[in-house]
Amino acid sequence: MKNNRGLYWAYWVVVVVMLMLGGVGLYWRLTAGHRLANYGQLIVWGLWVAMYIYFIGLSAGAFLISALVYAFGVERFRPIARLALFTALISLLMALLHIWFDLGHMSRFYEVYTRPNPLSMMAWMVWLYTGYFVLLLAEFWFDIRQDLIRWSEKPGVVGMVSRILALGSKDLSPESRRRDEKATRVLGTVGVPLAIMFHGGVGALFGVVAARPAWHSGLFPLIFLVSALVSGGGLLMAFYALLAPDRGTLEHRSLMEDMAKLVLGLVLLDLLFTFAEYSIALYGAIPGDVAPLIAAMFGPFWYVFWIGQVGLGFVIPIILLGWKRTRRSPFWVGVAGLAIVLAFVGVRLNIVVPPLSVPEIRGLVEAVPSSRMTTLYVPSVMEWFLSLGIIGFGMALYAIGYRLLPVQPRAVKEV
């Protein structure tokens, strides 16, 4: 960004506006609770839950792509491995903020630790998130420690931040480097099953709800895992296309093409799972299974499915990444990555909202005269503002970290 001052300042203007809107949303959330939210008695989960699983997917996907390097030794993706870890960390923070604001009593979040219920799947999710967050921090620190020591000699804020984060480490010997690499490899390996468990667990969290046929499927944990890899891969692809310092070089173009092939394969696998989910349910024609899918495809928000999920999530990436000419262009590969990132907001909304919009009891909406008892959900201004603020907060952290920490794709080769 620092090489393009116009883009840099435009980025920060957007971030500041989002933070200001988020500040208004935060004030409303803290003073009015859930009264200004538009979810209610029938649709009990809304935008914040959808954004929570969206960012959890981005985090898990980015981490698993970093694990290709740290756990499985796929050196081809080494230039983006550190950026992937940093992306996983920021995305996880945004996910947890969204679900925290969705809690009825935000101040009681700690009780999942002090009053644990080992039979609760949600409790296990929180514990897995905690372990994953600690693991991410440790792995990231071991990965950048050597560069932090070198950067601590720099003047100004960069040097000061590096000296603080180096935690007094000054050892740059080959033995120290090998220990750091071993620690990163071990943590990356341990993190693979952890990421699979917690993101597959999010899918299981929906899948075990037997009262909602649209969620009650053994495919859900697998769909969540594949979609995490697709969304995380798309985000990294967009970042590397737009931010890499080596843009325009043969190496950048070559790596972008390899990433395009990897993400294309994941998109096709996701398409296969989505087709299986929809086609089997529609062919079975069981009303409870079909109604949520019909609501997603032909309901008042049909465009979220057809334009967002199908158009941006499948058609555009498959064309841009499948056609050799565009696949070799970092610009078009970056566009495909952005399309995937935008599409998955719609994907997550379609997972959460349509199944809840179908009443379990016929006539329930008419029997209860309440504005909260409705099958139509549109996020309120407060919900949008708070979500925009959280995203702006994540974008600010990302930009600051990208500026002050050795996370840039080429920084790992700095000596």
Side-chain angles (χ1 to χ4, degrees):
M1 285 186 290
K2 64 182 181 181
N3 295 327
N4 189 328
R5 304 305 296 178
L7 180 61
Y8 177 82
W9 287 113
Y11 181 93
W12 275 108
V13 167
V14 172
V15 168
V16 169
V17 170
M18 294 174 77
L19 287 175
M20 291 172 65
L21 296 176
V24 175
L26 177 63
Y27 173 77
W28 286 340
R29 172 64 182 86
L30 295 178
T31 56
H34 289 263
R35 290 196 300 276
L36 296 180
N38 277 353
Y39 43 77
Q41 293 172 319
L42 194 62
I43 300 177
V44 295
W45 289 345
L47 178 66
W48 294 339
V49 172
M51 296 305 287
Y52 150 68
I53 60 175
Y54 171 72
F55 282 111
I56 281 292
L58 289 181
S59 178
F63 175 81
L64 290 173
I65 287 177
S66 78
L68 289 176
V69 176
Y70 297 124
F72 302 110
V74 182
E75 293 296 322
R76 184 71 186 96
F77 296 109
R78 170 73 67 178
I80 61 166
R82 186 177 293 179
L83 186 66
L85 268 184
F86 186 60
T87 302
L89 199 55
I90 299 296
S91 299
L92 177 65
L93 188 59
M94 287 194 277
L96 296 180
L97 283 175
H98 270 103
I99 202 62
W100 185 48
F101 284 114
D102 191 72
L103 295 178
H105 293 278
M106 294 162 52
S107 60
R108 297 181 184 174
F109 77 93
Y110 65 89
E111 293 193 8
V112 75
Y113 301 105
T114 58
R115 300 170 60 187
N117 177 6
L119 300 180
S120 167
M121 185 163 287
M122 285 194 178
W124 276 102
M125 294 303 303
V126 174
W127 299 336
L128 287 172
Y129 289 151
T130 306
Y132 175 65
F133 183 69
V134 173
L135 181 141
L136 268 180
L137 282 177
E139 184 180 356
F140 184 62
W141 186 80
F142 279 112
D143 191 37
I144 66 173
R145 192 185 73 87
Q146 298 275 328
D147 287 320
L148 286 176
I149 296 172
R150 294 190 192 93
W151 283 32
S152 65
E153 302 298 325
K154 292 186 175 184
V157 178
V158 173
M160 182 184 70
V161 170
S162 297
R163 284 192 292 277
I164 293 172
L165 295 182
L167 303 179
S169 299
K170 295 182 179 178
D171 189 357
L172 287 172
S173 64
E175 292 77 15
S176 172
R177 176 187 288 272
R178 280 194 289 273
R179 284 197 300 271
D180 288 349
E181 290 174 349
K182 182 178 180 180
T184 306
R185 185 170 61 252
V186 170
L187 290 169
T189 305
V190 172
V192 172
L194 192 59
I196 291 173
M197 278 193 292
F198 83 73
H199 198 59
V202 175
L205 200 63
F206 285 86
V208 296
V209 183
R212 297 288 175 183
W215 292 341
H216 191 50
S217 164
L219 274 180
F220 248 57
L222 298 177
I223 290 173
F224 269 65
L225 278 177
V226 173
S227 62
L229 286 166
V230 175
S231 59
L235 182 63
L236 284 174
M237 207 164 60
F239 278 152
Y240 192 58
L242 298 173
L243 302 178
D246 61 342
R247 293 191 304 277
T249 64
L250 184 62
E251 183 180 352
H252 178 257
R253 188 184 297 272
S254 173
L255 183 53
M256 287 302 304
E257 187 174 356
D258 287 346
M259 289 181 67
K261 292 176 182 175
L262 173 67
V263 173
L264 175 61
L266 293 170
V267 169
L268 292 174
L269 186 59
D270 189 43
L271 176 62
L272 179 65
F273 274 106
T274 303
F275 177 75
E277 180 196 5
Y278 275 69
S279 61
I280 290 173
L282 293 173
Y283 186 81
I286 299 173
D289 293 349
V290 171
L293 303 184
I294 296 297
M297 291 189 292
F298 305 111
F301 305 108
W302 57 268
Y303 49 86
V304 176
F305 178 81
W306 292 108
I307 298 177
Q309 187 167 347
V310 176
L312 293 175
F314 293 127
V315 176
I316 290 179
I318 289 174
I319 292 174
L320 292 179
L321 303 180
W323 189 21
K324 186 180 292 185
R325 185 170 180 179
T326 48
R327 189 173 65 226
R328 289 179 173 174
S329 164
F331 171 77
W332 288 115
V333 172
V335 170
L338 287 176
I340 291 170
V341 171
L342 290 174
F344 267 84
V345 176
V347 173
R348 299 319 191 194
L349 282 169
N350 275 336
I351 286 176
V352 174
V353 178
L356 291 172
S357 69
V358 179
E360 298 294 341
I361 302 173
R362 184 177 299 176
L364 180 63
V365 176
E366 294 77 14
V368 181
S370 167
S371 60
R372 291 279 182 182
M373 185 64 76
T374 175
T375 60
L376 186 66
Y377 166 74
V378 178
S380 68
V381 175
M382 185 266 284
E383 291 173 75
W384 281 118
F385 276 15
L386 193 50
S387 271
L388 288 172
I390 293 171
I391 295 170
F393 178 64
M395 290 172 65
L397 286 181
Y398 201 93
I400 293 170
Y402 196 82
R403 175 71 179 85
L404 299 180
L405 299 176
V407 297
Q408 296 187 19
R410 299 290 292 177
V412 292
K413 293 185 177 180
E414 185 177 306
V415 293

